[in-house]
Amino acid sequence: MAKCTIRYWASAKDAAGTAEDTLDADTLETALDAARRLHPDDRFQRVLGSSSLLVDERPVGKRAHGEVAVTDGTVIEVLPPFAGG
C-alpha cells in the first residue's frame, strides 16, 4: 500500500469537514473506499459520487477506479460540480 493524499474542494471539503486526508491505498478505488469509511455520512457519499477526480493532475474520466494506480505521494483531487456564471 502507498501513502496518498485526497484533497477535497468546495462542497466536498465542506462535506468531509477537512481539506484533505492522507490514506494508504494501491488504487484509486481503494483510496475512495477508505475516504468513504472515514466520512460515512450521506452528504459526503453524494458529493463524492458526483465529483470529477484528478490523480496527479490528470483527469480520471471514465477509467475504472480499480485500474488507476496509486503510488507514494499520489495526490487525488475531488472536484464537485461547480455552479456559477
Side-chain angles (χ1 to χ4, degrees), residues 6 13 25 29 45 49 60:
I6 300 182
K13 178 181 174 181
E29 182 175 47
Q45 306 297 322
V60 172

Side-chain angles (χ1 to χ4, degrees), residues 6-10 12-13 16 18-21 23 35 39 44 78:
I6 300 182
R7 291 187 183 146
Y8 305 107
W9 298 96
K13 178 181 174 181
T18 187
E20 65 182 45
D21 288 315
L23 307 165
H39 311 287
F44 179 80
V78 178

Side-chain angles (χ1 to χ4, degrees), residues 7-18 41 43-52 78-83:
R7 291 187 183 146
Y8 305 107
W9 298 96
S11 61
K13 178 181 174 181
D14 189 47
T18 187
D41 59 277
R43 183 167 173 237
F44 179 80
Q45 306 297 322
R46 284 191 309 273
V47 171
L48 187 61
S50 65
S51 294
S52 298
V78 178
L79 306 169
F82 292 95

Side-chain angles (χ1 to χ4, degrees), residues 14-85:
D14 189 47
T18 187
E20 65 182 45
D21 288 315
T22 301
L23 307 165
D24 292 318
D26 56 0
T27 66
L28 176 58
E29 182 175 47
T30 58
L32 295 177
D33 288 346
R36 288 183 186 100
R37 286 191 301 278
L38 284 174
H39 311 287
D41 59 277
D42 289 339
R43 183 167 173 237
F44 179 80
Q45 306 297 322
R46 284 191 309 273
V47 171
L48 187 61
S50 65
S51 294
S52 298
L53 302 170
L54 301 177
V55 174
D56 291 332
E57 301 181 3
R58 293 189 177 105
V60 172
K62 296 184 188 255
R63 289 183 287 161
H65 295 169
E67 296 176 7
V68 179
V70 170
T71 60
D72 280 327
T74 290
V75 176
I76 300 163
E77 310 271 352
V78 178
L79 306 169
F82 292 95

